[in-house]
Amino acid sequence: MRPGEKPEIARLPLFREMQEEQRERIFSGSFLQVFPPQLTLFELGQHPDFLHVLIDGVVELYATSAGRDTTMRIVEPVTSFILAAVVTDMPYLMSARTLTSSRVLLVPAALVREVVKQDCALMQATMRELALAYRDLVRALTDMKLRQSAERLGNLLLTQERRQGGGGKVQLRAEKRLLASLLGMTPENLSRAFGVLGGHGLEIDGAQVTITDRAALETFSRPDPVRDDAG
Amino acid sequence: MRPGEKPEIARLPLFREMQEEQRERIFSGSFLQVFPPQLTLFELGQHPDFLHVLIDGVVELYATSAGRDTTMRIVEPVTSFILAAVVTDMPYLMSARTLTSSRVLLVPAALVREVVKQDCALMQATMRELALAYRDLVRALTDMKLRQSAERLGNLLLTQERRQGGGGKVQLRAEKRLLASLLGMTPENLSRAFGVLGGHGLEIDGAQVTITDRAALETFSRPDPVRDDAG
DNA sequence: GTCTGCGATTGATGAACATCAATCGAGACG
DNA sequence: CGTCTCGATTGATGTTCATCAATCGCAGAC
């Protein structure tokens, strides 16, 4: 682990409040591993052996079924992932692969479960993390069920813009094919959705998106104050 | 509270393992309320004042956005619901209404949060509950993104049949319009989906569904051993 | 520079699904 | 016993989205 990274991991919401001593136990039982791009970290159905914490790089969580697959989440550093499978000790419901070269902290799942039982602060943080993740999924599911593709894209851009500082500019980080899969559509349709939004306050140039008329974009995308604005 | 109900609530996974004394605190701070059918219990965006435990009746959780709405979950007794909003103390992401006359135990949200902090067994149960709910939503979202309507219906029926004992019969409990909304389609399309499954090992008579050829139904619906079989 | 490979885009077509309208059928009620 | 109501069903039609095919544009290789 590089200097400065351990404190950064310790500052994660998940590990922040726990006892120093227990945190040391977690860290000393874990190990950092480097993975090349496009490598599968684990697959749907496998038994969860490690809690993963992405330190550096980008990881995609995706699900497959009957030959088709879809992106469920794009993980950026520094974040833990697949907490729910580790806590319940049940098979993964998603697969994971690196998109870029990545460094991942691997915390043995059994160790997580053991320390969680002994350190109430860690348990509370875990509980909170799971509750927030649950809420994210509620949002994603209603988004999928109630909105059509161009609206979903519009709302995602509005949300991203707020997260990136609110200057009316959004920098797309992932490939568009990935973004399409995350939004539950084909790359072709994403292109067309961008085209549609072009008539509703949006300008796009490659991976650089500019919101030229927020009011128009909001009228079209119908963001929900509860679902889309709050964290 | 009627005799026999309190022990039944105490047997819920959520409350089972906690200290007797703390459980008493929860119960004595809560109250049971009876609601008529079709009554809204709370609405999306409101601040969560109570953890709800459905004792008797049926409750629908649904989300709305831009005039449209969709069923997210049908709650049957005895189950707690909207745990995530209570734990995070953040606005509801779903609304709730009774479908039939219902009795609901209302546990003040602040009390839940306080006792959770003091009783590690309750916290662990909460964590587990949230993790399982998260996994349910992962399943629902991938189902929505990867399968088309008739497949979703087929898999739901296969799952229900297993839960109802596996005799090849499934009794539909909810109205079909509700089932349609839960599956993310219109009532008209649900009818047609049943029609399609009629050619793939299914027979339907009103609310009584019979699986006449499980192999055919599975071939068509492509259940995922991980996602659909495991709990 | 040119070639090459790959992702993004665009157009044409088809499938899945929603919508609109009409009808059917079963339970409620006079 | 009829009729009224409401959900379920069926058919006709339109919209949304996927698929297939071709082209564009850009970055890396040589």
Side-chain angles (χ1 to χ4, degrees), chain B residues 36-164:
Chain B
Q38 299 301 328
L39 187 90
T40 299
L41 297 180
F42 53 80
E43 291 201 353
L44 183 148
Q46 285 179 0
H47 187 85
D49 292 322
F50 299 100
L51 172 67
H52 292 56
V53 183
L54 180 64
I55 308 299
D56 204 69
V58 186
V59 167
E60 176 194 8
L61 298 184
Y62 61 100
T64 52
S65 184
R68 292 162 285 192
D69 67 299
T70 188
T71 305
M72 297 295 282
R73 185 178 152 198
I74 295 171
V75 184
E76 298 195 330
V78 179
T79 327
S80 63
F81 54 101
I82 47 128
L83 187 54
V86 169
V87 162
T88 58
D89 199 18
M90 293 171 115
Y92 294 128
L93 294 178
M94 303 184 272
S95 307
R97 69 177 148 235
T98 55
L99 293 178
T100 68
S101 173
S102 300
R103 293 188 307 131
V104 179
L105 182 71
L106 297 170
V107 189
L111 180 61
V112 173
R113 285 191 296 270
E114 191 192 327
V115 175
V116 156
K117 269 185 212 159
Q118 290 171 14
D119 187 311
C120 268
L122 174 60
M123 199 193 290
Q124 193 172 357
T126 305
M127 186 181 74
R128 191 174 173 79
E129 195 100 339
L130 286 168
L132 291 173
Y134 175 85
R135 287 170 63 90
D136 277 344
L137 276 190
V138 169
R139 275 185 271 258
L141 184 57
T142 64
D143 199 47
M144 201 63 203
K145 287 177 81 175
L146 290 179
R147 295 206 263 237
Q148 47 199 42
S149 54
E151 288 176 285
R152 290 202 295 277
L153 175 60
N155 284 300
L156 181 127
L157 292 174
L158 284 166
T159 306
Q160 289 279 347
E161 185 254 2
R162 225 173 296 120
R163 274 193 210 151
Q164 289 184 20

Side-chain angles (χ1 to χ4, degrees), chain A residues 30-78:
Chain A
S30 314
F31 51 97
L32 196 67
Q33 200 161 337
V34 180
F35 298 100
Q38 299 301 328
L39 189 90
T40 298
L41 297 179
F42 53 80
E43 293 201 353
L44 183 148
Q46 286 180 359
H47 187 84
D49 292 322
F50 299 100
L51 172 67
H52 291 56
V53 183
L54 180 64
I55 308 298
D56 204 70
V58 186
V59 166
E60 176 193 7
L61 299 184
Y62 61 100
T64 52
S65 183
R68 294 162 283 191
D69 66 301
T70 189
T71 305
M72 296 296 280
R73 182 177 156 201
I74 295 171
V75 184
E76 296 194 332
V78 179

Side-chain angles (χ1 to χ4, degrees), chain A residues 22-176:
Chain A
Q22 296 286 6
R23 189 159 48 214
E24 258 320 305
R25 234 181 112 202
I26 292 260
F27 284 168
S28 62
S30 314
F31 51 97
L32 196 67
Q33 200 161 337
V34 180
F35 298 100
Q38 299 301 328
L39 189 90
T40 298
L41 297 179
F42 53 80
E43 293 201 353
L44 183 148
Q46 286 180 359
H47 187 84
D49 292 322
F50 299 100
L51 172 67
H52 291 56
V53 183
L54 180 64
I55 308 298
D56 204 70
V58 186
V59 166
E60 176 193 7
L61 299 184
Y62 61 100
T64 52
S65 183
R68 294 162 283 191
D69 66 301
T70 189
T71 305
M72 296 296 280
R73 182 177 156 201
I74 295 171
V75 184
E76 296 194 332
V78 179
T79 328
S80 63
F81 54 100
I82 46 128
L83 188 52
V86 169
V87 163
T88 57
D89 198 18
M90 292 171 115
Y92 294 127
L93 294 178
M94 303 183 271
S95 307
R97 70 178 146 231
T98 56
L99 294 178
T100 67
S101 174
S102 300
R103 292 188 308 131
V104 180
L105 182 72
L106 297 170
V107 189
L111 180 61
V112 173
R113 285 192 295 270
E114 191 191 326
V115 175
V116 156
K117 269 185 213 160
Q118 291 170 12
D119 186 312
C120 268
L122 173 61
M123 200 194 287
Q124 194 173 357
T126 303
M127 186 183 71
R128 189 173 174 80
E129 194 100 341
L130 286 169
L132 291 173
Y134 175 84
R135 287 170 63 89
D136 277 344
L137 275 191
V138 170
R139 275 186 271 260
L141 184 58
T142 65
D143 199 47
M144 200 65 203
K145 286 177 83 175
L146 290 179
R147 295 207 265 239
Q148 48 197 40
S149 55
E151 290 176 283
R152 291 203 295 275
L153 175 60
N155 283 301
L156 180 128
L157 292 174
L158 283 166
T159 306
Q160 288 279 346
E161 186 255 4
R162 223 174 297 120
R163 274 193 210 152
Q164 289 183 21
K169 301 243 176 209
V170 184
Q171 188 69 32
L172 301 180
R173 289 183 163 123
E175 283 183 350
K176 287 190 183 159

